[in-house]
């Protein structure tokens, strides 16, 4: 009988239904001796380290002495009390072939659609040849031994991370596929992968916990028709007491994936469950507690299983995206996860980890793309001239795409360089479209592309992609703010005000939302309310030149000329010699009717390549400048 489609790996020592002891207990084939009674496999007298399941598999095959053994029979013997996926058997066969070395092709034959067959000449003996083995097979209770009781040749727990990720991905896809095919049950079209958590009182490794979720999200996001919440949305649910079901409901998804990690010595146990948020019922659950001897063979095997699970709905390019390895260096992968963990809170520290990862593996494309993103943030919001940072970002993004042309994050980073610094709008649009083709679930790419389309006055396209970003991460205050500012820019001022007020209701004190609400209220003809909102933002970011310049704009629109001039004098005292909020100052001088001063600051912004200069094409406050020949000349030089 065919086993259940959802993977459920064995959770403890198996009670094996092997052939009776009346048969020979020792088998010799080539240089190998299999001693069933002692559970020992040797080659030329030296013991071979082999997993318990692989050992039991070999026993069953040699006992048949050349007869075919069906897959169902093997699975019934190896997992007598557990429903498992066929891929578990494939994994054990691969592990066994690897242990047997160069003779593997002549030992075990695959019978397509049927099972397996032991095909090497075999001799049965009553007693094993005399050997002093160098090591013994790893027992299944090793997880409960002290760490020193297991050979140091077993890798540290970090070696498990990519293995576990791929196994969990395969199982999630299997569960989702089954759910979609089962009559009478709601389809799962949206998913949240929560940060993994340690079991019991184990010491936390938050970079690993978040990294497990981050990599799963990146891979699962390639699934057509499936919305997967980004890491920015789920990282807030990393607390040990967070209820996964409540998190899934808050994130507005059909299902939530919740995982835990338990490490003992060189081994790791991972438990994962997929919960349907509508009723809290588990769709699928599994526990991984197996040994691995060849990490990348496991990766290839599980990736193959994932591809088979999604063939009916996914194209070949998408399958390739789902199964691509990020790096062949496990230590580099660990450093990359650390960098991803720190990227939102300590950019300097994150850059150090990415640089260390690249020192170990210069071919690590994802690390190059992550480094490009850090330099883009500094180019946009740093205090120094942006050119050097944009140059570094361009080099890193280009390097990432040379190494991996199918890396969505690399295309998005290069697109931002084109748009923010080069003003290469067709190139930026091409790269954003390619990024979204490779990963339609990238909220960042949707939001950045919306910004690009807005400044090119494609208002329908801008609103479409702004909505897509908020659909992917509905709890993001940044994307909600961007949507409000987009509505303001296209002339829907009242709707923009309502949208930004809702953002602040959900995210009180979010400064960008207060800033944009102040501008939207001013554009809607209520500058006094705009002044109050901008002053509120200044209490959160006192001394911000950008906020002071925008407050001067609102004061000027309210008719408070002296107050506006006083603010502008304060900002301009230092702005001539330091980084200046040129677009904001130009907006304020435009409201005061001084177009010469406005163009002075617009030219300054053009010289410094400030990305905010693009707002002149859509911000209503610049409308009085648009009949001036200097405005047309500036747009021409910006290739707009």
């Amino acid at each position: 009988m065919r086993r259940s489609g959802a993977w459920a790996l064995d959770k403890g020592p198996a009670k094996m239904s092997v052939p009776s002891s009346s048969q020979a207990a020792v088998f010799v084939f080539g240089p190998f001796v299999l001693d069933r009674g002692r559970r020992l496999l040797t080659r030329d007298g030296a013991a071979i380290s082999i997993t318990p399941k692989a050992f039991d598999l070999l026993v069953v095959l040699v006992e048949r002495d050349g007869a075919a053994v069906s897959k169902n029979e093997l699975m019934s013997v190896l997992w007598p009390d557990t429903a498992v996926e066929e891929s578990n058997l494939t994994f054990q066969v691969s592990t066994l072939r690897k242990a047997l070395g160069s003779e593997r092709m002549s030992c075990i034959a695959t019978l397509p659609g049927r099972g397996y067959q032991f095909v090497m000449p075999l001799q049965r003996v009553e007693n094993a040849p005399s050997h002093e083995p160098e090591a013994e097979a790893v027992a299944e209770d090793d997880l409960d031994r002290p760490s020193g009781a297991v050979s140091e040749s077993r890798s540290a727990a970090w070696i498990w991370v990519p293995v576990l990720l791929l196994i969990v991905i395969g199982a999630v896809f299997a569960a989702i596929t089954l759910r979609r095919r089962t009559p009478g049950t709601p389809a799962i079209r949206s998913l949240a992968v929560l940060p993994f958590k340690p079991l019991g009182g184990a010491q936390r490794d938050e970079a690993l916990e978040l990294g497990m979720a981050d990599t799963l999200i990146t891979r699962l996001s390639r699934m057509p028709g499936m919305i997967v919440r980004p890491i920015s949305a789920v990282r807030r649910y990393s607390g040990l007491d967070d209820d996964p079901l409540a998190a899934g409901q808050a994130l507005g998804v059909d299902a939530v994936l919740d995982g835990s990690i338990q490490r003992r010595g060189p081994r790791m146990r991972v438990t994962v469950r997929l919960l349907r948020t509508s009723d809290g019922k588990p769709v699928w659950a599994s526990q991984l507690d197996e040994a691995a001897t060849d990490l990348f063979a496991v990766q290839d095997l599980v990736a193959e299983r994932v591809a088979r699970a999604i063939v009916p709905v996914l194209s070949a390019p998408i399958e390739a995206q789902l199964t691509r390895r990020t790096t062949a260096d496990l230590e580099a992968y660990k450093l990359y996860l650390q960098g991803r963990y720190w990227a939102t809170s300590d950019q300097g520290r994150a850059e150090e980890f990415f640089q260390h990862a690249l020192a170990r593996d210069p071919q690590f494309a994802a690390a190059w793309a992550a480094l490009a993103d850090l330099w883009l943030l500094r180019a946009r919001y740093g205090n120094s001239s942006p050119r050097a940072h944009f140059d570094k970002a361009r080099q890193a993004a280009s390097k990432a795409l040379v190494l991996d042309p199918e890396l969505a994050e690399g295309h998005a980073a290069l697109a931002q360089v084109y748009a923010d610094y080069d003003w290469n709008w067709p190139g930026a649009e091409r790269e954003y479209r390619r990024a979204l083709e490779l990963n339609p679930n990238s909220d960042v790419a949707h939001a950045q592309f919306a910004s690009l389309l807005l400044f090119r006055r494609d208002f329908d396209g801008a609103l479409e992609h702004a909505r897509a970003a908020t659909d992917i991460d509905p709890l993001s205050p940044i994307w909600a703010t961007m949507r409000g500012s987009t509505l303001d820019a296209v002339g829907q001022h009242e709707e923009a005000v309502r949208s930004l007020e809702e953002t602040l209701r959900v995210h009180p004190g979010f400064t960008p939302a207060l800033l944009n609400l102040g501008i939207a209220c001013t554009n809607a003809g209520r500058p006094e309310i705009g002044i109050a909102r901008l002053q509120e933002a200044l209490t959160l970011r006192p001394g911000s030149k950008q906020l002071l310049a925008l407050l001067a704009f609102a004061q000027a629109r309210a008719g408070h000329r002296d107050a506006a001039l006083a603010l502008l004098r304060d900002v301009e005292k230092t702005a001539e010699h330091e980084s200046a909020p040129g677009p904001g100052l130009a907006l304020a001088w435009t409201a005061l009717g001084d177009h010469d001063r406005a163009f002075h600051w617009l030219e300054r912004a053009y010289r410094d390549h400030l990305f905010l200069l693009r707002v002149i094409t859509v911000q209503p406050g610049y409308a009085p400048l648009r009949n001036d020949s200097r405005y047309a000349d500036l747009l021409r030089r910006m290739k707009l």
Side-chain angles (χ1 to χ4, degrees):
M1 183 176 66
R2 174 142 174 82
R3 299 303 178 102
S4 167
W7 285 9
L9 290 95
D10 54 317
K11 300 178 174 61
K15 305 294 185 181
M16 299 304 301
S17 300
V18 296
S20 69
S21 59
S22 62
Q23 296 173 310
V26 178
F27 306 85
V28 179
F29 49 99
F32 298 99
V33 175
L34 173 65
D35 188 333
R36 193 182 68 190
R38 297 169 62 195
R39 296 189 64 79
L40 181 65
L41 175 66
T42 63
R43 175 175 177 166
D44 296 325
I48 297 175
S49 180
I50 185 173
T51 65
K53 284 289 188 289
F55 184 91
D56 293 328
L57 172 64
L58 180 59
V59 169
V60 176
L61 290 172
V62 299
E63 287 282 6
R64 295 301 180 90
D65 194 11
V69 187
S70 71
K71 294 179 181 179
N72 282 341
E73 183 178 355
L74 286 170
M75 292 164 67
S76 296
V77 172
L78 295 175
W79 293 278
D81 303 314
T82 308
V84 300
E85 272 294 295
E86 186 179 296
S87 55
N88 286 321
L89 176 60
T90 312
F91 169 53
Q92 296 300 338
V93 172
S94 176
T95 300
L96 179 55
R97 284 173 169 162
K98 186 67 176 178
L100 295 175
S102 61
E103 284 77 13
R104 64 188 181 278
M105 297 306 296
S106 59
C107 287
I108 302 171
T110 300
L111 306 177
R114 296 170 56 199
Y116 298 94
Q117 181 180 21
F118 191 84
V119 295
M120 194 173 183
L122 182 70
Q123 179 184 3
R124 299 170 182 258
V125 296
E126 291 303 322
N127 296 295
S130 178
H131 296 303
E132 290 297 329
E134 298 173 4
E136 293 185 359
V138 179
E140 292 204 38
D141 61 355
D142 278 343
L143 188 67
D144 298 319
R145 294 185 184 178
S147 59
V150 182
S151 169
E152 292 182 359
S153 66
R154 317 303 283 193
S155 63
W158 273 101
I159 196 171
W160 283 86
V161 175
V163 181
L164 304 181
L165 291 172
L166 283 165
I167 290 175
V168 171
I169 290 167
V172 171
F173 274 126
I176 291 173
T177 302
L178 282 175
R179 176 57 58 186
R180 285 176 167 167
R181 295 176 181 175
T182 303
T185 57
I188 295 175
R189 296 187 178 90
S190 57
L191 175 68
V193 182
L194 303 185
F196 282 52
K197 299 177 179 67
L199 282 177
Q203 183 176 357
R204 299 204 65 175
D205 186 343
E206 293 188 73
L208 168 62
E209 296 161 15
L210 195 68
M212 291 278 285
D214 193 14
T215 303
L216 276 169
I217 290 166
T218 300
R219 291 175 179 271
L220 292 169
S221 291
R222 269 76 173 186
M223 190 173 178
M226 174 68 69
I227 293 179
V228 183
R229 295 288 180 251
I231 194 66
S232 58
V234 301
R235 69 182 299 156
R236 71 195 71 183
Y237 299 106
S238 61
L240 295 178
D241 297 328
D242 284 332
D243 179 1
L245 186 59
Q249 292 169 342
L251 289 163
V253 292
D254 297 327
V256 59
L257 185 69
D258 180 44
S260 60
I261 305 173
Q262 182 181 28
R263 289 194 286 180
R264 294 185 183 178
R267 299 190 66 188
M268 180 180 290
R269 175 176 292 168
V270 171
T271 302
V272 190
R273 57 179 180 163
L274 188 67
L275 302 175
R276 192 169 57 218
T277 54
S278 61
D279 54 15
K281 292 182 179 179
V283 178
W284 158 85
S286 182
Q287 183 180 85
L288 173 66
D289 181 14
E290 294 279 347
T293 57
D294 189 329
L295 168 63
F296 297 111
V298 174
Q299 286 184 318
D300 291 343
L301 186 63
V302 179
E304 182 182 333
R305 174 64 186 87
V306 172
R308 286 200 302 269
I310 60 179
V311 161
V313 292
L314 294 180
S315 65
I318 297 297
E319 290 177 14
Q321 286 283 335
L322 282 164
T323 57
R324 183 184 295 109
R325 298 175 185 173
T326 55
T327 179
D329 188 308
L330 295 173
E331 182 62 24
Y333 179 77
K334 172 183 175 181
L335 292 165
Y336 170 76
L337 290 185
Q338 291 279 352
R340 291 281 293 170
Y341 175 76
W342 289 106
T344 58
S345 58
D346 190 336
Q347 293 175 19
R349 193 168 184 180
E351 181 179 346
E352 289 181 8
F353 280 114
F354 290 140
Q355 293 283 17
H356 288 319
L358 289 167
R360 287 194 59 91
D361 182 5
Q363 310 300 307
F364 196 170
W368 282 110
L371 202 53
D373 285 339
L374 285 183
W375 282 325
L376 283 167
L377 283 173
R378 291 175 182 172
R380 276 192 163 206
Y381 305 111
N383 294 322
S384 58
S385 172
R387 178 169 185 171
H389 296 310
F390 274 119
D391 285 345
K392 288 182 178 179
R394 184 198 318 278
Q395 293 169 11
S398 299
K399 179 71 172 178
L401 291 175
V402 167
L403 294 169
D404 186 355
E406 303 295 299
L407 186 66
E409 293 78 8
H411 287 283
L414 188 58
Q416 194 174 342
V417 174
Y418 286 163
D420 284 8
Y421 191 78
D422 295 347
W423 296 325
N424 176 1
W425 313 111
E429 180 170 349
R430 181 185 65 248
E431 294 299 322
Y432 279 133
R433 290 193 184 280
R434 181 58 177 150
L436 289 170
E437 179 184 350
L438 293 168
N439 183 7
N441 262 287
S442 174
D443 56 326
V444 174
H446 277 293
Q448 292 175 351
F449 191 28
S451 177
L452 170 71
L453 294 174
L454 174 65
F455 299 131
R456 299 184 75 188
R457 302 185 66 80
D458 180 354
F459 297 145
D460 290 341
L463 286 171
E464 175 189 348
H465 286 279
R467 291 190 188 102
T470 54
D471 285 345
I472 294 168
D473 187 359
L475 298 185
S476 169
I478 299 173
W479 306 151
T481 298
M482 186 204 69
R483 182 174 182 273
S485 65
T486 301
L487 290 167
D488 184 46
V490 303
Q492 300 180 31
H493 305 307
E494 294 297 343
E495 187 174 348
V497 169
R498 288 192 293 271
S499 176
L500 290 164
E501 286 177 340
E502 175 62 18
T503 300
L504 286 167
R505 187 189 67 78
V506 179
H507 306 280
F510 187 62
T511 307
L514 283 168
L515 181 158
N516 282 278
L517 179 57
I519 296 173
C521 287
T522 302
N523 288 332
R526 299 195 296 277
E528 296 292 353
I529 298 177
I531 290 170
R533 294 295 172 263
L534 290 164
Q535 288 175 332
E536 186 179 348
L538 272 167
T539 63
L540 300 170
R541 292 190 185 175
S544 166
K545 294 176 186 177
Q546 176 73 358
L547 281 170
L548 289 169
L550 294 174
L551 179 58
F553 161 67
Q555 294 279 16
R557 291 286 292 270
H560 307 316
R561 185 176 181 85
D562 290 342
L565 288 171
L567 286 168
L568 289 174
R569 282 194 296 268
D570 287 344
V571 175
E572 289 183 345
K573 282 180 183 178
T574 57
E576 289 290 352
H577 307 288
E578 298 178 5
S579 178
L585 290 168
L587 191 64
W589 283 115
T590 301
L592 289 169
D594 191 335
H595 292 189
D596 290 339
R597 289 297 292 169
F599 277 108
H600 166 80
W601 287 110
L602 290 177
E603 286 295 330
R604 173 73 177 272
Y606 175 83
R607 185 197 74 187
D608 293 341
H609 268 256
L610 297 185
F611 78 96
L612 282 174
L613 181 58
R614 301 176 299 181
V615 302
I616 65 173
T617 64
V618 292
Q619 171 53 240
Y622 293 108
L625 303 180
R626 289 173 185 156
N627 291 327
D628 194 304
S629 61
R630 290 173 289 182
Y631 179 84
D633 179 63
L634 181 59
L635 290 191
R636 177 187 58 78
R637 284 179 284 145
M638 293 177 66
K639 306 171 188 176
L640 283 168

